[in-house]
Amino acid sequence: MSKKEITFVSSLSKTEGPNQFYGDPQRISQVLDNIITNCIRYTPERGEIVWNIVIHHNEVIFEIHDTGPGFTLSNKNSCLKSFTEKMRREQAGTEIWD
């Protein structure tokens, strides 16, 4: 496998004062790993991945952009539909894991 020479840029912004938030660290790690892996996979040679983290009191916002081809509108809608259906099943307690 050849090197793609991707530039990785990151930033962190946070508000003054207490910044405490709650979340499932394993799930957050899993989601971010998946996103970054896809960014690396689809970003072309000498492309760029930008990761901004904003911490605002009890919220953390991850903004991740890359120079890859991205999603078509139909792909976005399909992903969102699959995600919301999965979340509904999990909340209803009917999620079946492989």
Side-chain angles (χ1 to χ4, degrees), residues 32-43 49 66 71:
L32 293 174
D33 182 63
N34 187 316
I35 292 169
I36 294 299
T37 298
N38 284 335
C39 286
I40 293 168
R41 180 177 295 136
Y42 294 107
T43 296
I49 298 171
D66 64 45
F71 286 97

Side-chain angles (χ1 to χ4, degrees), residues 2-96:
S2 65
K3 291 184 179 185
K4 293 175 79 173
E5 298 180 19
I6 296 172
T7 301
F8 188 83
V9 179
S10 64
S11 69
L12 171 64
S13 304
K14 58 184 179 175
T15 58
E16 302 258 342
N19 290 305
Q20 187 170 12
F21 51 92
Y22 301 93
D24 181 340
Q26 288 179 317
R27 181 67 88 158
I28 293 169
S29 178
Q30 179 184 21
V31 168
L32 293 174
D33 182 63
N34 187 316
I35 292 169
I36 294 299
T37 298
N38 284 335
C39 286
I40 293 168
R41 180 177 295 136
Y42 294 107
T43 296
E45 286 188 34
R46 293 184 279 294
E48 182 177 74
I49 298 171
V50 178
W51 178 336
N52 299 313
I53 302 169
V54 178
I55 301 173
H56 181 73
H57 301 294
N58 64 344
E59 289 184 324
V60 179
I61 301 166
F62 298 97
E63 298 175 336
I64 304 168
H65 309 272
D66 64 45
T67 54
F71 286 97
T72 64
L73 182 57
S74 63
N75 285 347
K76 286 180 187 178
N77 291 337
S78 176
C79 287
L80 183 59
K81 182 179 177 186
S82 296
F83 175 76
T84 55
E85 288 173 359
K86 180 174 175 49
M87 292 304 293
R88 258 189 245 124
R89 286 193 307 269
E90 285 180 358
Q91 290 173 352
T94 60
E95 181 63 24
I96 299 173

